[in-house]
Every structure is written in structure tokens, then in C-alpha cells.
Amino acid sequence: MKRKEKSLTQIRAITLIVAAVVAAATAVWLTCAPKVEQRKAQEKQIALLESIREGDGIVELTGIVSGGEVDYYDGGAQAPAEEAALFAPLLEAPVSEITDDAAVSVPVETGVVNGIGILTIDSIELEMPVAEGVSAAQLKISAGHVPQTAAIGSTGNAVIAGHRNYAYGDHFNRLGEMAIGDEIRYLSIDGEEMTFVVDEILEVLPGDQVAFKQPDDTARLTLYTCTPIRTATHRLLIRATRVL
């Protein structure tokens, strides 16, 4: 009887040890996984910048995308599905608001980012690759040109959307610090350099179509992100006119 009780005690002790080890391993994974993902995303962003400068602009998302979907959640206020849905309406921008100068959408392969240019804003120390499209996958490592809007630098309004990434680098985190008169520079993948000057800053409700309004005689650029950071109840628009 005593031997049986001793065996049961040993089994309980082993079970507790195993449970403790599993709990510890899980805690380590939960701590390290976001950092590993962050490092991978930063490496992909750097690779995309280099690829755009070289005139290629193609980067695979190996290690970033799993099962065709992206887990963007990092412990902030937004759950994964909600986070991914923040820019979903941009995929169906109102075509009725788009001019004949609208950009031709570049096909985006699954697991591949098609870089089209580099966005630089000195006032907030931002250098960001821009890809064609606003899929959840590519927005993890770049800003995205809304394909139904005007080509960047052409007559009309080109909209570039980006996350305010809490875990994967700054991205558009500091967009709220911009002011009227700030310069936005853009280098296209074919080497064309452009300069825009900010002349309007707006906060609008999600779904407000003012972001897509198309001018008839000027080249406009709209930077589009969520605000405030984490709660994302509104959309912040930084609007600029091309001067060079």
C-alpha cells in the first residue's frame, strides 16, 4: 500500500514538473516569437528597399506569411481579424472617384511583394518602401499604393496607405507629427525623383471617401493611416501637392 502511494506521489511530482516545463517553454515562446517576427519583417523591409534601388522590387515573404494569411496581432487593442480588416475597404476604393489617369494595378503574386518606389520624409526620419496594393501581407513590410487611385506623381490623387506598426518598426507611427509645409520625397523604381509639399492634414471617419477625391489639374499625394495608435477609431490623412 505504501509502495503504491509512493508511486502515485512520484507520478504527481513528475506531472507537476512536466507542466512547469511546458508553461516555462510557452512563456519563452510568447516572449521571443514577436521579436523573431519583428527581426524577419525588418530584414524583408531592408531587402525590399535594396531591391527597389536596384530596379527589381521583388521580395518573397518567406517567414512572414503563414498559410496565405498574416498574423499581425502583437498584443495591442486590435484582434487579428480586426487588424487585417482596417485597410480592407481600400481594396475596393470607389472607382467612380478615379480619373482616367488611374494607375494600372500590378498583379501581386501570393507571398511576393512588388515594390514600386521609396517614400522619404526627413521631418519624421522615415524611409519606407512602397509596394503596389494594400494586402495584409505586404503592409507588414511596406506602405501600399491603392491601385485604383492615380499613379504616384501623375495628375490626380495617389493614395499610399500604411500601418502604424507597434511591433514591426515605425512604419507610419510618426505620421501624426507632420506639419503643413513638410516635404515628402518619392523615388520611383525607374529612378524618377519627386517632391511633394504637405498642404492639408485631416482626421476622418473610416469609410469617408474624401481620401479618394481626385483633382483635375494637379498631382496630389495622400498618406493614409489609422489614428489614434492602437484604438484606430479614425483615419489620418496627410495630403500634399507635387512641386518637383
Side-chain angles (χ1 to χ4, degrees), residues 87-94 98 102-106 116 130-135 138-139 143-152 157-162 211-212 214 222 224:
F87 293 116
L90 299 184
L91 293 169
E92 299 178 357
I98 308 305
V104 176
S105 178
V106 177
I116 60 172
V130 179
E132 182 66 23
V134 289
S135 70
Q138 63 197 53
L139 286 178
H145 172 244
V146 181
Q148 300 94 327
T149 63
I152 299 170
N157 175 31
V159 179
I160 297 177
F212 304 103
Q214 295 292 314
T222 297
Y224 181 109

Side-chain angles (χ1 to χ4, degrees), residues 47-78:
L48 183 57
L49 282 168
E50 292 176 351
S51 181
I52 292 170
R53 290 192 179 101
E54 292 170 359
D56 179 20
I58 305 297
V59 169
E60 294 185 359
L61 284 169
T62 306
I64 302 298
V65 180
S66 175
E69 296 295 333
V70 176
D71 179 5
Y72 189 77
Y73 186 54
D74 65 347
Q78 300 292 335

Side-chain angles (χ1 to χ4, degrees), residues 159-172:
V159 179
I160 297 177
H163 278 301
R164 305 183 95 169
N165 268 355
Y166 331 129
Y168 302 119
D170 288 338
H171 287 227
F172 277 0

Side-chain angles (χ1 to χ4, degrees), residues 30-48:
L30 289 173
T31 300
C32 295
K35 293 181 180 179
V36 172
E37 185 77 356
Q38 178 182 358
R39 178 178 57 79
K40 289 179 180 178
Q42 289 171 339
E43 289 174 352
K44 293 293 184 181
Q45 185 177 109
I46 292 170
L48 183 57

Side-chain angles (χ1 to χ4, degrees), residues 74-104:
D74 65 347
Q78 300 292 335
E82 294 169 335
E83 182 73 39
L86 290 177
F87 293 116
L90 299 184
L91 293 169
E92 299 178 357
V95 179
S96 61
E97 293 290 330
I98 308 305
T99 68
D100 293 335
D101 293 324
V104 176

Side-chain angles (χ1 to χ4, degrees), residues 141-225:
I141 69 169
S142 72
H145 172 244
V146 181
Q148 300 94 327
T149 63
I152 299 170
S154 69
T155 299
N157 175 31
V159 179
I160 297 177
H163 278 301
R164 305 183 95 169
N165 268 355
Y166 331 129
Y168 302 119
D170 288 338
H171 287 227
F172 277 0
N173 264 7
R174 297 183 60 189
L175 222 59
E177 299 176 28
M178 294 192 69
I180 302 296
D182 282 357
E183 287 190 354
I184 300 171
R185 290 182 285 119
Y186 181 78
L187 174 65
S188 69
I189 195 168
D190 59 9
E192 184 179 1
E193 297 180 1
M194 312 173 196
T195 300
F196 300 80
V197 174
V198 176
D199 52 28
E200 188 176 16
I201 298 174
L202 300 173
E203 283 191 16
V204 299
L205 290 171
D208 191 327
Q209 300 305 308
V210 68
F212 304 103
K213 186 175 178 60
Q214 295 292 314
D216 297 325
D217 56 356
T218 56
R220 300 275 286 165
L221 179 67
T222 297
L223 305 184
Y224 181 109
T225 193

